[in-house]
Amino acid sequence: MAAPSIAMDSNHQSNCKLSKTEKKFLRKQIKARHTLLRHEGIETVSYATQILVVANGGLGNGMSRNQLLPVLEKLGQVDALLMPPNKPYSFVTYKTIEESKKAYATLNGQKIVDDLGQKIILYLNFVEKVQWKELGLQALPPGLKVVEEIISSEDEKLLLESVNWTDDTDHQNFQKSLKHRRVKHFGYEFHYENNNVDKDKPLPGGLPDICDSILEKWLKEGFIRHKPDQLTVNQYEPGHGIPAHIDTHSAFEDEIISLSLGSEIVMDFKHPDGVTVSVMLPRRSLLVMTGESRYLWTHGITPRKFDSVQASKGHRSGIITNDVEDLTLSKRGIRTSLTFRKVRQTPCNCSYPLVCDSQMKEPPPSFPESDKEASQLEQEYVHQVYEEIAGHFSSTRHTPWPHIVEFLKDLPSGSLVADIGCGNGKYLGKNKELYMIGCDRSQNLVDICRERQFQAFVCDALAVPIRSGSCDACISIAVIHHFATAERRVAALRELVRLLRPGGKALIYVWAMEQEYNNKKSKYLRENRSSQGKKEEINNDPPMQELFVEQMPDMGIQNSASSVPSIHDFQKGRRNSRKVANSKLLIHTNRTSFHSQDLLVPWHLKGNPGKEKPSEPFGPAGTYDSSPVFHRFYHVFCEGELETACQTLNNVSILQSYYDQGNWCVILQKV
């Protein structure tokens, strides 16, 4: 419906008799207005101006410039259409106020078809000025270049035809069907379980003959320095992607090159400091990664069916800028990539030892096989780490999580509450009507609590020196995921229950394997620029897309597949039904999806640990900051796992179980 009968003044609206449909529209419009203010700081006004903010009319929910602009131009002369990247709204400026009023009255509540053919309802509001903070100019990661039209369309056709995806009996190479793409290997098979190759087992046949002349030509013309001996062919359907990663240092030489066939793609490069650069790889272009871009920056492809790209026709390869006047959507096609590498025969001696598996002082630890090994792992990769990073960690822990504050506020006045794993005491003073006491394994964090005049002491969460049945409530926030085996995680839950009186409640939060849930990314993934050392800090405010879009387009987001341990698994003492014997723990790449439940998460210590001000991420002349990097052990919980663990406990009832921005949460009661 259109909105000509709905006045802009809310006081006038309350005095008018509105139809049921008009009331529904008005609620949606007000909701969009409040969401813009709450999440984006965009303040709408109740009087007419030349500028409108168009909720749901943004690149972030599948609306391209080519779709929206003609619709807006039918109502008047458009001076500017600004479409911020990845946002579900846009700004339109009309030549006159009369034209903007006409657009407001005509388009508000109207359905428009997006680039996926789905209907989206627009909600328009007036604003005084466009509020969009431009990011500074970006540069390509050092050592990265994109060569356009590196091959002819004829060679492209020959290369695509040379890849036989149907012959499963071909012994010249190994074909893999991964969850989200088709893969073939030549020269050496790439093992995804350890991100490496078996250097002693080359595949028969080597690289395809058709590649030989092309590689020789690139060598002669200076585009590449080494002739590769390993090739991985990936075929991506629209909506598919590849997780952010760095090719293993010890597996391959410095130079890694990738040829894009069939369709263009936007690839995201991310520095450990959190800086993200989106780079367009046109069809028939060659991506060359050397030096810092190969060894330090992760690269990956976000799973979606559209990419935000420059609208100007002259722009081809290179950085996708945040010029809001020059962004639109590009529909993905079927893309085949040929990634060439040269297998390394000697250890890597690159200039980035902190992230180099050849130069690390100690290899990553193995998964613990016994309770003793688990305790040792936690001592080195949890307890000692938090002692080292306590000051910096505390400086990042200041915003309380709303659902936890709500739990504390709902407790009766005078309740005795224990915060097991209290950290810097963020929650100890949130409800002055409660008697709260905290404990933590870190002496340095407990000292911070005491400096803030909170009651806290040092202890292990498996043996809390508080009398059984003495607490009205307990909270355990971001603690139990640090225990290395299922038995120890259940023991920590059992200790919480021991402290509770009958009828007492416990609130438990653990980090979730599913950082993309119900097609929504957690804040952990949404952060383009992260404060180093920030871990599973959550934000209970839903993303704008959740509030705006009822017909959210299928962007092809992939949920991580993981098996949920059963009650039988816990009772029989199975530590991890998917564990591989003597397997090394993977080191996670910050701000990316999880691909293993048991892993090490880096913490980049910034500045003086005793100070709250972090140091600059880059050293002189843009060099990589060599601040200490610590690794913390985590077991991220898959859906249902925390509930299942709680169900093994005696005299416990689960009152509530929910997902909260990247965390699985349970409220239980002792019966």
Side-chain angles (χ1 to χ4, degrees):
M1 60 158 285
S5 63
I6 298 180
M8 288 170 279
D9 189 296
S10 57
N11 293 326
H12 179 67
Q13 291 166 352
S14 62
N15 296 326
C16 293
K17 279 198 169 184
L18 302 177
S19 69
K20 187 176 180 180
T21 304
E22 287 175 329
K23 287 180 180 177
K24 181 180 178 181
F25 159 77
L26 186 59
R27 285 196 302 270
K28 296 282 187 181
Q29 188 191 33
I30 292 172
K31 189 175 184 180
R33 188 185 307 157
H34 289 168
T35 304
L36 283 164
L37 178 62
R38 185 179 184 187
H39 292 271
E40 303 293 309
I42 298 171
E43 189 169 0
T44 62
V45 295
S46 59
Y47 50 88
T49 68
Q50 290 174 254
I51 309 171
L52 290 160
V53 57
V54 186
N56 281 357
L59 300 174
N61 57 305
M63 186 66 62
S64 72
R65 179 176 296 271
N66 294 338
Q67 292 282 122
L68 184 60
L69 185 57
V71 175
L72 297 171
E73 287 179 329
K74 289 179 181 178
L75 285 310
Q77 183 177 336
V78 174
D79 277 354
L81 173 60
L82 308 183
M83 303 187 79
N86 305 313
K87 297 293 184 180
Y89 59 82
S90 58
F91 298 97
V92 57
T93 303
Y94 280 97
K95 188 75 171 176
T96 66
I97 291 180
E98 288 304 315
E99 289 170 322
S100 67
K101 287 170 68 174
K102 184 179 178 182
Y104 175 91
T106 305
L107 296 179
N108 241 324
Q110 286 295 308
K111 292 180 180 178
I112 183 172
V113 179
D114 68 6
D115 275 26
L116 283 171
Q118 302 182 78
K119 293 179 179 178
I120 288 181
I121 300 175
L122 301 180
Y123 298 101
L124 283 70
N125 283 284
F126 292 105
V127 292
E128 272 287 358
K129 58 183 179 180
V130 173
Q131 296 165 298
W132 173 249
K133 186 177 180 181
E134 291 282 1
L135 298 180
L137 292 175
Q138 293 178 311
L140 286 173
L144 186 146
K145 64 181 178 181
V146 180
V147 185
E148 293 186 36
E149 295 294 337
I150 190 77
I151 62 171
S152 66
S153 56
E154 291 77 14
D155 284 342
E156 177 188 39
K157 183 180 179 182
L158 290 172
L159 283 167
L160 289 172
E161 290 174 347
S162 71
V163 183
N164 187 348
W165 294 110
T166 59
D167 188 359
D168 293 329
T169 62
D170 183 7
H171 296 291
Q172 296 302 305
N173 58 77
F174 280 63
Q175 177 178 336
K176 297 284 186 182
S177 292
L178 300 183
K179 184 180 178 185
H180 299 296
R181 63 188 189 276
R182 293 199 290 183
V183 180
K184 270 195 171 186
H185 303 291
F186 298 86
Y188 294 83
E189 182 186 8
F190 186 84
H191 297 283
Y192 291 95
E193 63 273 16
N194 62 3
N195 295 321
N196 215 319
V197 296
D198 189 338
K199 300 173 184 178
D200 297 324
K201 293 183 179 179
L203 298 175
L207 271 55
D209 293 338
I210 190 173
C211 296
D212 193 64
S213 60
I214 293 175
L215 292 171
E216 288 290 350
K217 180 182 177 184
W218 293 349
L219 273 168
K220 185 177 179 180
E221 295 178 358
F223 293 124
I224 60 176
R225 295 177 298 178
H226 308 290
K227 189 169 182 180
D229 54 11
Q230 194 275 337
L231 166 63
T232 298
V233 183
N234 286 280
Q235 186 183 80
Y236 300 89
E237 297 282 342
H240 292 167
I242 188 170
H245 65 283
I246 298 173
D247 287 70
T248 306
H249 288 209
S250 62
F252 306 109
E253 292 286 355
D254 181 13
E255 191 172 68
I256 294 176
I257 60 176
S258 183
L259 178 64
S260 294
L261 305 177
S263 180
E264 66 185 19
I265 199 73
V266 172
M267 183 173 283
D268 296 318
F269 291 82
K270 193 167 188 177
H271 190 275
D273 185 55
V275 176
T276 299
V277 177
S278 297
V279 178
M280 167 61 77
L281 305 180
R283 184 176 177 177
R284 295 188 294 275
S285 69
L286 183 70
L287 170 71
V288 182
M289 292 183 289
T290 61
E292 185 176 314
S293 65
R294 179 266 187 267
Y295 288 123
L296 186 60
W297 293 64
T298 64
H299 61 278
I301 298 171
T302 303
R304 57 193 176 210
K305 293 183 178 178
F306 290 86
D307 284 318
S308 294
V309 301
Q310 311 302 148
S312 53
K313 290 190 167 93
H315 188 95
R316 293 289 305 280
S317 64
I319 295 171
I320 304 298
T321 69
N322 288 309
D323 182 356
V324 293
E325 292 190 76
D326 189 35
L327 286 180
T328 188
L329 292 181
S330 173
K331 190 174 183 178
R332 287 185 180 176
I334 297 175
R335 173 178 174 266
T336 301
S337 70
L338 278 64
T339 301
F340 297 92
R341 311 173 180 94
K342 184 171 179 60
V343 173
R344 183 185 291 278
Q345 301 298 333
T346 58
C348 178
N349 61 350
C350 68
S351 302
Y352 310 95
L354 291 176
V355 291
C356 179
D357 59 314
S358 290
Q359 300 181 66
M360 287 180 180
K361 294 180 181 177
E362 296 180 5
S366 298
F367 192 92
E369 294 290 333
S370 65
D371 190 74
K372 180 180 179 181
E373 288 183 9
S375 179
Q376 292 172 342
L377 178 69
E378 293 161 14
Q379 176 64 27
E380 183 173 355
Y381 289 93
V382 181
H383 306 159
Q384 291 179 12
V385 172
Y386 279 104
E387 284 296 279
E388 293 286 345
I389 70 173
H392 184 204
F393 176 82
S394 178
S395 72
T396 69
R397 293 301 182 272
H398 43 74
T399 304
W401 301 347
H403 282 279
I404 300 168
V405 173
E406 181 182 353
F407 175 84
L408 295 173
K409 295 285 187 184
D410 287 344
L411 294 173
S413 178
S415 295
L416 177 62
V417 183
D419 184 348
I420 309 302
C422 64
N424 66 351
K426 183 168 68 173
Y427 296 105
L428 293 179
K430 286 304 169 187
N431 185 350
K432 303 297 184 183
E433 303 298 316
L434 305 177
Y435 294 101
M436 292 197 69
I437 188 166
C439 62
D440 200 278
R441 189 62 175 73
S442 166
Q443 177 69 62
N444 288 335
L445 286 172
V446 167
D447 288 344
I448 292 171
C449 292
R450 290 171 176 171
E451 289 172 6
R452 297 176 174 180
Q453 307 303 309
F454 295 135
Q455 299 292 321
F457 57 89
V458 176
C459 78
D460 195 300
L462 295 179
V464 181
I466 296 178
R467 189 174 70 246
S468 300
S470 59
C471 295
D472 298 295
C474 295
I475 61 174
S476 171
I477 311 302
V479 174
I480 290 173
H481 52 218
H482 283 309
F483 288 99
T485 64
E487 298 99 325
R488 293 171 70 81
R489 292 187 285 273
V490 170
L493 292 169
R494 189 177 297 115
E495 185 70 352
L496 284 175
V497 175
R498 181 188 69 79
L499 302 178
L500 294 173
R501 63 166 176 79
K505 299 177 182 179
L507 173 63
I508 303 152
Y509 268 58
V510 294
W511 213 358
M513 176 87 168
E514 300 83 356
Q515 292 297 305
E516 296 182 16
Y517 188 67
N518 287 339
N519 283 349
K520 299 182 183 71
K521 291 187 178 183
S522 69
K523 185 182 179 184
Y524 177 73
L525 294 187
R526 295 200 312 271
E527 292 278 333
N528 282 331
R529 177 136 186 125
S530 60
S531 301
Q532 279 308 302
K534 192 173 184 181
K535 62 169 183 178
E536 65 282 12
E537 192 81 51
I538 63 163
N539 184 336
N540 286 273
D541 296 338
M544 294 184 64
Q545 287 88 338
E546 178 182 345
L547 295 179
F548 282 169
V549 184
E550 296 170 337
Q551 310 87 354
M552 190 65 182
D554 174 19
M555 303 304 275
I557 294 175
Q558 308 151 18
N559 287 326
S560 301
S562 51
S563 58
V564 182
S566 66
I567 293 177
H568 179 75
D569 292 335
F570 284 104
Q571 290 171 339
K572 291 293 184 182
R574 289 179 61 185
R575 292 180 179 86
N576 189 322
S577 59
R578 300 184 299 119
K579 177 177 68 64
V580 179
N582 299 318
S583 59
K584 295 292 183 183
L585 291 170
L586 296 178
I587 296 177
H588 177 62
T589 301
N590 281 328
R591 303 288 165 186
T592 64
S593 298
F594 296 118
H595 302 286
S596 172
Q597 282 192 265
D598 298 285
L599 37 76
L600 300 176
V601 177
W603 180 284
H604 295 258
L605 188 64
K606 295 296 178 183
N608 186 334
K611 303 291 184 181
E612 293 196 359
K613 184 178 180 181
S615 66
E616 289 299 316
F618 293 95
T623 57
Y624 177 51
D625 178 23
S626 58
S627 301
V629 178
F630 297 90
H631 293 92
R632 298 160 294 156
F633 172 81
Y634 281 86
H635 171 85
V636 289
F637 281 64
C638 56
E639 184 173 6
E641 184 178 352
L642 180 59
E643 279 183 88
T644 302
C646 291
Q647 288 167 357
T648 67
L649 306 174
N650 296 324
N651 304 318
V652 162
S653 172
I654 297 177
L655 301 181
Q656 191 178 357
S657 177
Y658 57 96
Y659 179 87
D660 191 0
Q661 274 299 310
N663 295 265
W664 289 115
C665 322
V666 160
I667 298 177
L668 58 79
Q669 185 173 41
K670 188 173 184 178
V671 297

